[in-house]
């Protein structure tokens, strides 16, 4: 069996490039193995686990095209995963749960009500499946100088970046104190429950919002903080916005990340301007929605990820016109500026290189 290094040597040889021209070697290797390509980051699903009713855990083996650009991955960051559903490519951001330096990426994806990609993967992910894999981003990470006393708080599928941090600290043999508070709806939906119970030197407390059989009753507050770690040096929280707000109320310096999309303030009335997707020779009349949604309604399939202005996968060049960013309120007026089309709306006539 080819090793990854040998694969790259073969694919990159002058002889192979000569023999496979003009299409390139990827056109042929993809027939043998869809993940075997130099041009695009991809990963093969090598294991699938469904340990809770509303989640699926995927173990991914990335190809060299991804690992070449992701060597600096840090626990807590996210990657963009693309899957094809009914002939259309959909991209979402997920935070791996594995420790830094792991050979494979581990994604635990919680099924969200109405979530197209999360529901598809929960129901249909299988070994051998190939997904697109691009980018590494996010600043929700451990500091290089590890704090001595660290409190982690997570809710639902927000456990994944926090799990990556805790696993990294365990692998490093962190000598300080670590406490981990995780909230789920029920014991059955608590991801990583059994592994957490076995982690060395980590104080773990569970709270269940729809039952009273956890270690903690109710929602995060002063009593939960006192039970976990009264005076932490650093606090990391990831989960629904309400949980993040509650933790920051008691720990104002907590580093946080919320997986709930922000509320976008759409314009009360659409501008009615002309929106031109120049590369596709398609023109529509602005209806007030984001440029991404209007492009999709026009039959285009631009790459996108988080759809909330975080991952920048959807960034496109605005060649002329004015747009407003719905998350920051910033207005782009200059020509030839890059804009995130998932959170940008036209203000009059706009030309987009798409």
């Amino acid at each position: 069996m080819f090793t990854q290094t040998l694969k790259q040597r073969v694919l990159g040889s002058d002889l192979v490039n000569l023999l496979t021209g003009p299409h390139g070697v990827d056109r042929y290797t993809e027939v043998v193995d869809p993940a075997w390509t130099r041009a695009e980051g991809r990963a093969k699903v090598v294991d699938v686990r469904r340990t809770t009713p509303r989640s699926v855990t995927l173990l991914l083996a990335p190809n060299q095209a991804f690992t070449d650009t992701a060597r600096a991955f840090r626990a807590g960051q996210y990657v963009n995963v693309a899957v094809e559903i009914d002939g259309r490519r959909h991209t979402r951001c997920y935070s791996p749960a594995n420790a830094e330096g792991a050979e494979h990426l581990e994604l635990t994806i919680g099924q969200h009500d109405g979530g197209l990609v999360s529901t598809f993967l929960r129901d249909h992910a299988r070994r051998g499946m190939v997904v697109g894999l691009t980018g590494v981003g996010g600043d929700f990470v451990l500091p290089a100088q590890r704090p001595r006393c660290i409190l982690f708080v997570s809710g639902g599928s927000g456990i994944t970046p926090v799990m990556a941090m805790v696993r990294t600290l365990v692998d490093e043999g962190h000598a300080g104190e670590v406490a981990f508070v995780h909230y789920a709806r029920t014991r059955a939906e608590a991801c990583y429950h059994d592994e957490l119970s076995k982690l060395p030197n980590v104080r773990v407390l569970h709270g269940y919002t729809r039952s009273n059989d956890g270690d903690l009753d109710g929602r995060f507050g002063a009593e939960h903080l006192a039970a976990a770690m009264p005076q932490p040096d650093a606090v990391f929280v990831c989960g629904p916005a309400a949980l993040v707000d509650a933790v920051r109320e008691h720990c104002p310096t907590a580093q946080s990340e919320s997986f709930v999309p922000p509320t976008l303030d759409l314009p009360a009335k659409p501008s009615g301007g002309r929106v031109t997707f120049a590369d596709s020779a398609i023109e529509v009349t602005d209806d007030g929605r984001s440029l991404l949604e209007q492009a999709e309604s026009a039959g285009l399939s631009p790459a996108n990820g988080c759809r909330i202005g975080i991952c920048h996968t959807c960034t496109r060049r605005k060649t002329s016109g004015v747009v407003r960013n719905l998350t920051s309120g910033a207005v782009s007026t200059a020509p030839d500026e890059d804009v995130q089309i998932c959170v940008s709306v036209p203000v009059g006539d706009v030309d987009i290189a798409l």
Side-chain angles (χ1 to χ4, degrees):
M1 180 178 291
F2 281 124
T3 65
Q4 193 71 278
T5 301
L6 182 56
K7 284 181 182 179
Q8 289 305 110
R9 288 179 180 174
V10 171
L11 295 180
S13 70
D14 293 337
L15 176 59
V16 168
N17 287 330
L18 176 63
L19 293 175
T20 58
H23 302 296
V25 64
D26 286 348
R27 177 75 65 84
Y28 301 93
T29 57
E30 287 177 320
V31 175
V32 179
D33 185 340
W36 195 2
T37 171
R38 296 180 302 164
E40 181 180 344
R42 296 178 185 172
K44 180 177 290 187
V45 177
V46 296
D47 193 22
V48 178
R49 301 191 300 272
R50 293 179 172 87
T51 56
T52 78
R54 295 178 59 84
S55 71
V56 60
T57 297
L58 310 179
L59 198 62
L60 304 181
N63 67 359
Q64 196 66 37
F66 175 81
T67 56
D68 282 345
T69 61
R71 298 187 186 280
F73 169 76
R74 297 174 64 186
Q77 292 186 306
Y78 61 79
V79 296
N80 298 317
V81 178
V83 298
E84 186 173 297
I85 304 174
D86 296 331
R88 294 193 63 178
R89 184 180 176 92
H90 301 268
T91 306
R92 297 290 185 270
C93 297
Y94 295 113
S95 297
N98 52 274
E100 293 177 9
E103 178 182 359
H104 295 133
L105 294 182
E106 179 178 311
L107 304 180
T108 292
I109 299 165
Q111 180 184 4
H112 299 289
D113 294 334
L116 175 65
V117 175
S118 65
T119 300
F120 175 82
L121 291 173
R122 171 64 184 83
D123 294 341
H124 302 292
R126 66 189 186 283
R127 293 185 182 183
M129 179 179 178
V130 174
V131 299
L133 194 62
T134 59
V136 171
D139 54 8
F140 183 64
V141 297
L142 291 166
Q145 184 67 37
R146 309 302 198 212
R148 176 165 179 77
C149 299
I150 308 175
L151 171 61
F152 295 103
V153 183
S154 62
S157 57
I159 193 173
T160 54
V162 176
M163 194 72 192
M165 294 180 183
V166 172
R167 283 171 162 172
T168 296
L169 291 174
V170 170
D171 285 356
E172 292 175 351
H174 180 65
E177 296 181 43
V178 177
F180 194 147
V181 177
H182 179 62
Y183 296 92
R185 298 197 299 186
T186 64
R187 163 66 179 83
E189 295 185 20
C191 298
Y192 297 107
H193 183 279
D194 293 343
E195 180 181 346
L196 285 171
S197 66
K198 300 174 184 177
L199 285 179
N201 304 316
V202 178
R203 177 172 174 74
V204 178
L205 298 172
H206 289 275
Y208 305 129
T209 58
R210 296 190 179 181
S211 67
N212 58 2
D213 55 345
D215 304 303
L216 302 168
D217 293 327
R219 302 180 184 274
F220 186 89
E223 292 183 359
H224 291 196
L225 176 63
M229 183 178 285
Q231 294 182 314
D233 296 324
V235 180
F236 297 85
V237 54
C238 183
L243 174 61
V244 172
D245 291 344
V247 172
R248 291 185 67 84
E249 179 182 349
H250 296 278
C251 309
T253 60
Q255 186 168 347
S256 62
E257 182 161 287
S258 175
F259 56 73
V260 176
T263 300
L264 301 181
D265 184 19
L266 291 171
K269 294 179 62 177
S271 71
R274 170 188 49 78
V275 180
T276 302
F277 301 109
D279 295 351
S280 306
I282 292 176
E283 183 177 303
V284 300
T285 300
D286 173 37
D287 61 12
R289 295 180 298 164
S290 71
L291 286 165
L292 173 60
E293 292 175 293
Q294 295 192 55
E296 291 175 333
S297 293
L300 301 177
S301 300
N304 63 88
C306 65
R307 302 179 77 93
I308 57 174
I310 296 175
C311 71
H312 294 269
T313 301
C314 70
T315 298
R316 292 294 182 273
R317 178 59 55 94
K318 173 182 66 68
T319 54
S320 67
V322 179
V323 301
R324 178 169 64 88
N325 186 297
L326 295 172
T327 58
S328 67
V331 176
S332 168
T333 59
D336 296 320
E337 284 190 333
D338 289 336
V339 298
Q340 294 170 269
I341 63 173
C342 73
V343 291
S344 294
V345 295
V347 182
D349 295 346
V350 175
D351 286 4
I352 301 292
L354 174 62

